[in-house]
């Protein structure tokens, strides 16, 4: 090593090194506390006395804890949202309107498929309530050819054997009476009441229900209803879905109502319209439905004014004589207002309108826009939801839930439920191919309601959607003064579509319109911005620690850069020393030196020992080495000497 480098090394070893080049973390912390602008850390170091130092430590830690708490609250408030409402007055697009007859198919067209089921249903009502007189329409009277008793006695009931109807008496615990045989049968398994979760037999009064079992009949469940009418209608609906699931869609469309039959008159925005303005939509449970202003139209219609005169006005022909008495118990139509790209869930959120009445529906449009993550769990288009959309429509929470249930139905039961669209490569459930589909469906539906299938946790709400707030009013229609001539005119206009004289109980008038053209937009926006967040952070740091942004940068530099650099440097030096010791072979000089007696005087010099250095003794521990006396600076003053000499020299030259 050169002499100059040796001197630098000794100076660096003796002088204290501060700041980022400190050799240990303790020295770094001491340097930081002495030089930082945060007064609490400095007071910890310079305070005298243990009690005072302990108090300053407690004060500083308390201030740091308060800063962390306040900053956490600021971060949480930053991710909250506020709602802003805007009201626009402009020309609005008219929504899509889907209209369905409550009765899905004309009874005269499906009577051949439902003859045996209707006969057994009538016999069940006769056995339960003693009802003998059933209201018959003209079409029903024409097709009735044999008596109910002869049908019952000629062949055993197929549907009652497949799903037996049972009557439970409160005095007979664990037993029920079979509708068909009249015998008592012991009920095993759980009893599920449709109005509650699980109900024991002895706690109920006279209930009606039916029993569903799996293939091996070892696992059964009995479903009871408070009303026998509800039980029989549910029993009838199960068999009805099984029968209609095997009918091709083209045939079912022909058995339902055409647009010309359903729509008697039509007006929109003060102008005439007809069946060509409606698009066919076949629903499994409501038959042929028709959508006005659908997305398949070339242009979406809009309204220029608010009020009933500028909306949609239609008169519907209900045809009560063709109603199925066991499937539906009310008369009228169902109406749903929705977006053009939405699927019309008519059975869930549809509005019912009654016959011989004028139903006016006023609308207010509200658009909602929600913020996605991290503010909420909504989805933009359903692309991030792991559920296949089996509907040919835009994503919605309802579509996701039904799609999830239908996919679970296909997975666990091997077939699809009739009231929902078919998934790819799946078939609707029926007795012939899936004998126990009803039991599987009920079990799966109970699990879906209890949120055991995981659909509710996976499906998300849409971030943006439109909602129409409806206000419904009713008026008797037509009036007594105009009833006669109005019905005659409508009968003449319909011509051969109905083949009979119209009655007011067969008609329903519907008006759908915007009450005004005020459109409300509800948009979520963050309650705090980045600027407010930084400002609040600065206020908390200044209040509790008298810090600024520079202090924060200083803390980051010391605790996150210098701190870890010291640790890394020590670890690197250890690894380097270990590698050097491993690679270097042991020398004989070192071995002999360690065996002898070391001379401390030789440890301070890297040169080879000489006789003089070997005989040099180490200084005493407390001996003071005399220092060099300061120089006499007066001897260095040469001005007078040079000036006198200069004068003498000049005189000599002159002489």
């Amino acid at each position: 090593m050169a002499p100059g480098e040796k001197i630098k090394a000794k100076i660096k070893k003796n002088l204290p090194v501060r700041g980022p080049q400190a050799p240990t973390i303790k020295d770094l912390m001491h340097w930081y506390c002495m030089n930082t602008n945060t007064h609490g850390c400095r007071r910890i170091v310079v305070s005298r006395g243990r009690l005072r130092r302990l108090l300053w430590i407690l004060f500083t830690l308390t201030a740091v804890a308060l800063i962390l708490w306040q900053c956490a609250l600021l971060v949480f408030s930053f991710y909250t949202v506020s709602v802003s409402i805007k009201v626009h007055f402009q020309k609005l697009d008219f929504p899509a309107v889907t209209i369905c007859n409550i009765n899905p198919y004309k009874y005269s067209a499906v009577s051949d498929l439902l003859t045996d089921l209707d006969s057994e249903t009538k016999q069940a009502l006769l056995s339960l309530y003693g009802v003998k007189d059933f209201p018959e329409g003209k079409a029903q009277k024409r097709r009735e050819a044999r008596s109910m008793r002869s049908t019952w006695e000629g062949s055993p009931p197929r549907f009652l054997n497949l799903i037996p109807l049972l009557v439970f008496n409160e005095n007979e615990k664990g037993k029920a009476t079979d509708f068909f045989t009249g015998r008592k049968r012991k009920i095993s398994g759980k009893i599920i009441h449709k109005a509650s979760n699980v109900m024991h037999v002895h706690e109920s009064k006279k209930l009606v229900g039916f029993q569903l079992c799996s293939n091996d009949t070892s696992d059964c469940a009995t479903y009871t209803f408070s009303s026998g009418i509800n039980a029989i209608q549910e029993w009838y609906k199960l068999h009805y879905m099984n029968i209609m699931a095997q009918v091709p869609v083209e045939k079912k469309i022909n058995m339902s109502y055409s647009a010309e039959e359903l729509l008697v008159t039509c007006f929109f925005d003060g102008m005439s319209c007809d069946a060509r303005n409606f698009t066919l939509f076949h629903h499994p449970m409501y038959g042929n439905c028709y959508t006005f202003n659908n997305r398949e139209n070339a242009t979406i219609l809009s309204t220029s004014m608010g009020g009933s005169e500028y909306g949609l006005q239609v008169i519907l022909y209900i045809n009560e004589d063709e109603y199925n008495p066991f499937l539906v118990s009310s008369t009228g139509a169902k109406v749903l207002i929705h977006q053009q790209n939405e699927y019309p869930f008519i059975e869930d959120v549809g509005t019912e309108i009654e016959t011989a009445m004028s139903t006016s529906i006023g609308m207010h449009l509200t658009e909602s826009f929600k913020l996605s993550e991290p503010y909420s769990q909504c989805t933009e288009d359903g692309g991030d939801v792991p559920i296949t959309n089996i509907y040919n429509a835009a994503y919605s929470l309802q579509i996701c839930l039904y799609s999830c249930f239908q996919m679970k139905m296909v997975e666990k039961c091997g077939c699809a439920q009739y009231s929902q669209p078919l998934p790819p490569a799946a078939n609707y459930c029926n007795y012939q191919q899936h004998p126990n589909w009803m039991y599987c469906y009920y079990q799966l539906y109970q699990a879906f309601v209890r949120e055991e299938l995981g659909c509710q946790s996976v499906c998300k709400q849409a971030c943006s959607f439109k909602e129409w707030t409806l206000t419904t009013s009713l008026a008797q229609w037509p009036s007594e003064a105009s009833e006669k001539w109005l019905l005659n005119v409508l009968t003449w206009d319909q011509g051969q579509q109905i083949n009979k004289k119209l009655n007011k109980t067969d008609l329903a008038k519907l008006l759908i319109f915007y009450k005004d053209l005020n459109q409300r937009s509800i948009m979520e926006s963050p309650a705090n911005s980045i600027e407010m967040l930084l400002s609040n952070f600065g206020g908390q740091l200044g209040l509790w620690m008298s810090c600024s942004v520079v202090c924060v940068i200083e803390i980051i530099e010391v605790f996150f850069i210098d701190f870890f650099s010291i640790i890394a440097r020590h670890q690197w030096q250890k690894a380097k020393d270990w590698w050097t010791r491993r690679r270097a072979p042991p020398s004989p000089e070192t071995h002999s030196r360690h065996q002898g007696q070391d001379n401390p005087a030789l440890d301070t010099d890297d040169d080879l020992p000489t006789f003089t250095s070997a005989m040099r003794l180490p200084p005493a521990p407390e001996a003071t080495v005399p220092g060099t006396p300061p120089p006499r600076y007066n001897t260095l003053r040469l001005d007078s000497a040079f000036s006198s000499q200069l004068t003498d020299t000049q005189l000599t030259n002159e002489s």
Side-chain angles (χ1 to χ4, degrees):
M1 181 182 294
E5 297 295 331
K6 293 168 57 177
I7 295 174
K8 290 182 180 179
K10 290 182 179 181
I11 293 175
K12 186 176 181 181
K13 182 177 180 180
N14 294 329
L15 292 178
V17 181
R18 306 295 187 186
Q21 299 299 324
T24 62
I25 296 176
K26 181 179 180 181
D27 294 335
L28 177 67
M29 294 297 101
H30 186 273
W31 173 84
Y32 168 75
C33 294
M34 292 297 296
N35 294 275
T36 183
N37 291 328
T38 53
H39 306 299
C41 298
R42 181 179 177 85
R43 298 304 302 173
I44 293 176
V45 177
V46 302
S47 296
R48 297 181 179 274
R50 293 183 178 179
L51 179 60
R52 183 174 297 182
R53 184 173 298 179
L54 178 61
L55 291 177
W56 274 109
I57 292 175
L58 292 177
F59 291 155
T60 305
L61 293 179
T62 303
V64 171
L66 290 174
I67 287 176
L68 295 177
W69 175 55
Q70 294 288 337
C71 291
L73 293 179
L74 291 175
V75 172
F76 290 151
S77 65
F78 175 75
Y79 286 108
T80 58
V81 294
S82 60
V83 178
S84 60
I85 299 177
K86 297 181 179 180
V87 179
H88 306 280
F89 185 83
Q90 59 185 3
K91 189 175 182 179
L92 298 178
D93 291 336
F94 201 78
V97 179
T98 299
I99 303 173
C100 306
N101 197 326
I102 291 181
N103 184 56
Y105 303 104
K106 290 182 283 188
Y107 195 64
S108 59
V110 298
S111 58
D112 294 338
L113 300 173
L114 305 176
T115 300
D116 295 337
L117 179 61
D118 292 349
S119 299
E120 294 186 25
T121 304
K122 292 179 182 180
Q123 183 63 29
L125 290 171
L126 178 63
S127 302
L128 182 62
Y129 296 105
V131 179
K132 296 182 180 180
D133 298 329
F134 296 94
E136 303 281 352
K138 295 180 180 179
Q140 294 172 252
K141 292 179 180 179
R142 286 195 299 265
R143 73 164 183 84
E144 194 74 27
R146 49 185 178 175
S147 65
M148 185 172 54
R149 186 171 299 277
S150 62
T151 302
W152 187 267
E153 294 175 355
S155 60
R158 179 165 61 98
F159 299 100
L160 284 174
N161 279 336
L162 190 63
I163 305 178
L165 281 169
L166 307 173
V167 178
F168 299 86
N169 295 318
E170 58 177 332
N171 297 328
E172 300 175 353
K173 300 179 181 180
K175 293 183 179 181
T177 304
D178 194 311
F179 265 38
F180 171 57
T181 61
R183 298 177 181 177
K184 305 290 184 181
R185 53 188 302 177
K186 188 176 181 180
I187 301 300
S188 60
K190 58 183 178 181
I191 298 177
I192 301 176
H193 191 60
K194 298 298 288 186
S196 61
N197 293 329
V198 179
M199 182 174 63
H200 300 288
V201 176
H202 66 274
E203 295 178 354
S204 63
K205 298 181 180 179
K206 187 175 182 180
L207 301 174
V208 179
F210 49 83
Q211 191 177 50
L212 298 176
C213 300
S214 59
N215 283 334
D216 54 3
T217 68
S218 60
D219 188 10
C220 297
T222 304
Y223 299 87
T224 61
F225 301 81
S226 301
S227 172
I229 298 299
N230 294 336
I232 293 177
Q233 282 186 333
E234 186 75 12
W235 177 85
Y236 184 93
K237 186 178 179 180
L238 286 174
H239 293 294
Y240 170 82
M241 289 191 298
N242 176 80
I243 295 172
M244 299 306 297
Q246 305 175 56
V247 180
V249 178
E250 294 78 9
K251 186 177 181 180
K252 288 189 287 187
I253 291 176
N254 295 329
M255 292 188 301
S256 188
Y257 302 90
S258 63
E260 290 77 12
E261 290 176 319
L262 182 64
L263 301 169
V264 179
T265 62
C266 176
F267 285 92
F268 176 73
D269 203 8
M271 301 182 65
S272 178
C273 54
D274 54 21
R276 292 173 295 182
N277 300 100
F278 291 80
T279 305
L280 173 64
F281 164 70
H282 185 79
H283 192 277
M285 299 304 298
Y286 285 92
N288 290 348
C289 300
Y290 297 93
T291 303
F292 176 78
N293 197 24
N294 196 14
R295 57 180 173 176
E296 298 180 4
N297 297 338
T299 58
I300 297 177
L301 302 175
S302 59
T303 180
S304 57
M305 295 288 291
S308 59
E309 296 296 328
Y310 298 94
L312 176 65
Q313 303 182 34
V314 292
I315 296 178
L316 306 176
Y317 176 55
I318 303 302
N319 196 3
E320 189 177 4
D321 291 339
E322 291 286 357
Y323 267 49
N324 188 331
F326 306 113
L327 184 64
V328 293
S329 57
S330 58
T331 304
K334 267 203 167 185
V335 180
L336 180 63
I337 300 170
H338 57 94
Q339 294 187 66
Q340 278 74 19
N341 60 349
E342 285 184 349
Y343 182 86
F345 287 97
I346 195 74
E347 71 277 17
D348 294 336
V349 292
T351 301
E352 293 187 353
I353 61 174
E354 53 183 311
T355 59
M357 300 292 290
S358 176
T359 305
S360 298
I361 301 177
M363 302 182 299
H364 272 301
L365 175 59
T366 302
E367 286 185 302
S368 298
F369 301 93
K370 299 183 65 177
L371 293 176
S372 57
E373 293 185 352
Y375 299 98
S376 66
Q377 298 297 323
C378 67
T379 178
E380 295 291 343
D381 55 358
D384 55 343
V385 178
I387 299 296
T388 303
N389 188 349
I390 62 176
Y391 294 81
N392 185 23
Y395 175 87
S396 66
L397 177 61
Q398 204 167 10
I399 282 180
C400 180
L401 292 176
Y402 279 120
S403 298
C404 179
F405 178 80
Q406 189 75 304
M407 298 299 292
K408 295 289 185 181
M409 183 81 182
V410 174
E411 177 185 350
K412 298 184 179 297
C413 303
C415 58
Q417 203 264 345
Y418 175 68
S419 63
Q420 304 301 331
L422 273 174
N427 297 319
Y428 283 126
C429 299
N430 60 78
Y431 296 151
Q432 285 71 22
Q433 299 179 357
H434 314 90
N436 68 325
W437 74 266
M438 287 181 289
Y439 175 77
C440 182
Y441 164 71
Y442 267 85
Q443 295 293 320
L444 198 67
Y445 184 74
Q446 292 294 328
F448 176 76
V449 172
R450 293 193 295 264
E451 300 184 5
E452 297 175 357
L453 298 182
C455 297
Q456 288 82 354
S457 60
V458 172
C459 293
K460 301 178 181 179
Q461 194 174 21
C463 291
S464 60
F465 55 90
K466 291 183 178 180
E467 183 180 14
W468 283 269
T469 304
L470 307 180
T471 303
T472 305
S473 59
L474 300 175
Q476 187 175 357
W477 179 88
S479 62
E480 295 182 0
S482 61
E483 177 180 352
K484 186 175 181 179
W485 70 266
L486 181 60
L487 295 178
N488 289 333
V489 171
L490 294 177
T491 303
W492 183 80
D493 286 340
Q494 283 296 95
Q496 297 183 1
Q497 294 293 338
I498 55 177
N499 296 323
K500 74 167 191 175
K501 183 177 176 58
L502 290 175
N503 193 338
K504 70 176 184 178
T505 57
D506 293 327
L507 300 175
K509 186 176 181 180
L510 175 64
L511 293 88
I512 301 177
F513 55 92
Y514 279 114
K515 299 179 69 175
D516 52 51
L517 297 185
N518 291 334
Q519 174 185 346
R520 294 197 310 166
S521 298
I522 301 177
M523 295 181 292
E524 292 184 347
S525 60
N528 294 309
S529 61
I530 295 292
E531 294 79 7
M532 293 183 62
L533 181 64
L534 294 177
S535 176
N536 292 330
F537 276 157
Q540 296 299 326
L541 291 173
L543 175 64
W544 299 106
M545 294 287 290
S546 67
C547 285
S548 63
V549 177
V550 179
C551 294
V552 175
I553 297 175
E554 182 184 70
I555 292 173
I556 295 175
E557 179 187 9
V558 172
F559 287 94
F560 291 95
I561 298 178
D562 299 339
F563 188 88
F564 293 105
S565 66
I566 291 174
I567 296 177
R569 189 165 62 245
H570 285 184
Q571 295 298 325
W572 170 254
Q573 187 64 35
K574 288 182 180 179
K576 188 176 179 180
D577 294 343
W578 174 82
W579 181 255
T580 303
R581 290 193 304 269
R582 182 180 180 184
R583 295 296 299 271
S587 60
E589 292 81 0
T590 306
H591 181 72
S592 62
R593 179 183 176 184
H594 283 289
Q595 287 182 351
Q597 185 176 3
D598 296 336
N599 191 344
L602 301 180
D603 294 340
T604 60
D605 198 352
D606 294 335
D607 297 335
L608 294 176
T610 61
F611 178 79
T612 304
S613 62
M615 295 302 294
R616 186 184 304 160
L617 295 176
E622 298 181 356
T624 58
V625 180
T628 303
R632 296 180 179 178
Y633 294 99
N634 294 332
T635 60
L636 298 179
R637 297 178 181 176
L638 303 178
D639 296 340
S640 59
F642 280 109
S643 60
S644 60
Q645 185 180 1
L646 181 60
T647 305
D648 296 338
T649 304
Q650 291 177 354
L651 293 175
T652 304
N653 292 334
E654 290 176 359
S655 62

